Amino acid sequence: MVERQITYFDLGQIARSGQCFRMYETAPGRFSLTAMDRYLEIRQEDDRFWFDCGEEEFDGFWAHYFDLETDYGGFIARIGKRDRYLQAAAAAGSGIRILNQDLWEVMVTFLISQNNHIRRIRQCVERLCLHFGEKKETPEGHVYYAMPGPAALADPDRLKDMGLGYRDRYIARLAADVAEGRLSLEHLKTIRSRKQTHQELTAIYGVGDKVADCIQLFGLHQIDAFPVDTWIKKILERHYPKGFPMYRYRGCAGVMQQYMFYYAISEKEAGERRQEP
DNA sequence: TATCAGGCCCTAG
DNA sequence: CTAGGGCCTGAT
């Protein structure tokens, strides 16, 4: 068990923020997370955290996974004092961090995400893991399923019944290309230029501008990538009719995007709770 | 029943 | 190159 006090870190916000789909709040203040072939349970009380793993695994893997070395207070401090909307959004989501997820996992999950709700994305991802992922067990006896690798997802016929819809062929082709060496994930990680990365990603079947930006932000940790989906589009039209001040947030625009997106979906969920008490 | 959801592909002009 | 139709699926 690893105990830490961490500011600008809130697992509930991250779990709801839509950047990872295998993190769940199982009970108030209790979270479970599956990432690649690892599983972790966490308890949170305000800024205190109990990670159910050893110090070595925490320092060697999870600390970086949760991006704990980055100063998010510094990002928030850069928000314009008169930008009341972004100030409020950042206040609402100040515990969000951009996780350092596995590139392959992000590519698959965000191919699924297109034209899709978070709940259904989760279902699809879990189904893929259950059917094609390696079965694992923690020392305490908790059974979970790892994210299947490219070779396991390369056959389009096997994906047919996974409820992916038309996205199954995108995933199958991507998986086959990676498994058979036509596409190198390691190469994608080495590209310096963001524009170049974007070009190579959008060349992938099924990856458009929005999904490419998500892969860059969440899978390659290019935190100035700024995915524009229908939510962000509406927010920009409404609150930034003269344009979002991208220059102000050079190097962290993606963090601002997350604050705005989270703020928007939180309001939506609050509205839904008001409607059905 | 029709519409919608965190798009993308493909074709026509 | 841009606009617009079609697309899997489950929820409302």
Side-chain angles (χ1 to χ4, degrees):
Chain A
M1 185 71 71
V2 174
E3 184 177 351
R4 288 284 192 284
Q5 182 178 357
I6 307 164
T7 53
Y8 296 104
F9 188 43
D10 186 279
L11 294 168
Q13 290 174 13
I14 293 171
R16 292 187 296 272
S17 72
Q19 60 176 297
C20 64
F21 300 99
R22 304 196 76 193
M23 183 168 173
Y24 299 91
E25 185 159 14
T26 54
R30 293 185 179 274
F31 300 87
S32 72
L33 167 63
T34 312
M36 290 176 271
D37 58 346
R38 295 171 191 259
Y39 174 82
L40 180 67
E41 292 182 358
I42 315 162
R43 184 160 70 88
Q44 173 180 4
E45 286 177 15
D46 301 321
D47 61 349
R48 301 199 68 82
F49 297 83
W50 292 264
F51 300 89
D52 191 11
C53 65
E55 292 280 349
E56 195 174 318
E57 190 186 352
F58 184 81
D59 293 336
F61 182 83
W62 294 110
H64 179 250
Y65 181 86
F66 290 120
D67 205 29
L68 298 184
E69 64 269 24
T70 301
D71 172 23
Y72 282 76
F75 295 145
I76 292 176
R78 288 171 58 179
I79 299 172
K81 293 288 173 284
R82 282 165 302 284
D83 189 339
R84 293 182 59 192
Y85 176 76
L86 196 47
Q87 287 284 355
S94 63
I96 296 174
R97 287 168 181 264
I98 310 292
L99 303 179
N100 284 288
Q101 298 186 76
D102 174 64
L103 176 58
W104 166 250
E105 200 161 319
V106 168
M107 291 176 87
V108 172
T109 54
F110 280 88
L111 270 178
I112 295 173
S113 80
Q114 61 183 259
N115 250 20
N116 230 333
H117 314 261
I118 289 178
R119 176 163 299 164
R120 220 168 77 74
I121 299 166
R122 286 190 202 280
Q123 286 175 359
C124 291
V125 173
E126 291 303 334
R127 200 149 39 212
L128 283 183
C129 293
L130 182 62
H131 283 261
F132 305 115
E134 188 187 346
K135 186 176 183 178
K136 312 271 287 185
E137 191 170 350
T138 65
E140 296 76 31
H142 182 268
V143 172
Y144 65 100
Y145 294 84
M147 186 70 187
L153 301 180
D155 178 4
D157 293 334
R158 297 180 69 197
L159 298 183
K160 277 297 171 208
D161 301 322
M162 292 296 108
L164 301 172
Y166 62 88
R167 307 163 193 81
D168 55 9
R169 56 181 180 269
Y170 302 155
I171 292 168
R173 187 179 307 182
L174 171 70
D177 284 347
V178 173
E180 290 158 29
R182 289 183 293 274
L183 178 66
S184 164
L185 301 186
E186 291 312 310
H187 167 253
L188 286 173
K189 294 177 188 172
T190 64
I191 306 173
R192 294 291 176 82
S193 143
R194 231 176 71 242
K195 193 194 285 182
Q196 177 69 23
T197 313
H198 195 82
Q199 280 179 4
E200 298 203 13
L201 285 173
T202 50
I204 297 169
Y205 184 52
V207 177
D209 287 330
K210 192 273 180 180
V211 171
D213 280 334
C214 286
I215 293 170
Q216 292 182 258
L217 179 56
F218 303 126
L220 293 165
H221 208 72
Q222 296 179 2
I223 62 171
D224 49 347
F226 192 89
V228 177
D229 51 47
T230 57
W231 288 89
I232 295 295
K233 189 158 171 265
K234 281 179 203 158
I235 291 168
L236 294 182
E237 284 167 1
R238 176 162 178 195
H239 296 280
Y240 301 94
K242 287 180 285 189
F244 184 72
M246 222 46 104
Y247 56 91
R248 191 186 244 286
Y249 305 110
R250 198 145 292 163
C252 67
V255 178
M256 302 302 147
Q257 191 270 10
Q258 281 290 280
Y259 294 147
M260 294 192 284
F261 181 73
Y262 177 78
Y263 196 40
I265 63 170
S266 305
E267 287 184 326
K268 178 195 160 216
E269 285 171 5
E272 285 170 356
R273 276 196 298 276
R274 276 196 297 275
Q275 288 195 349
E276 42 170 317

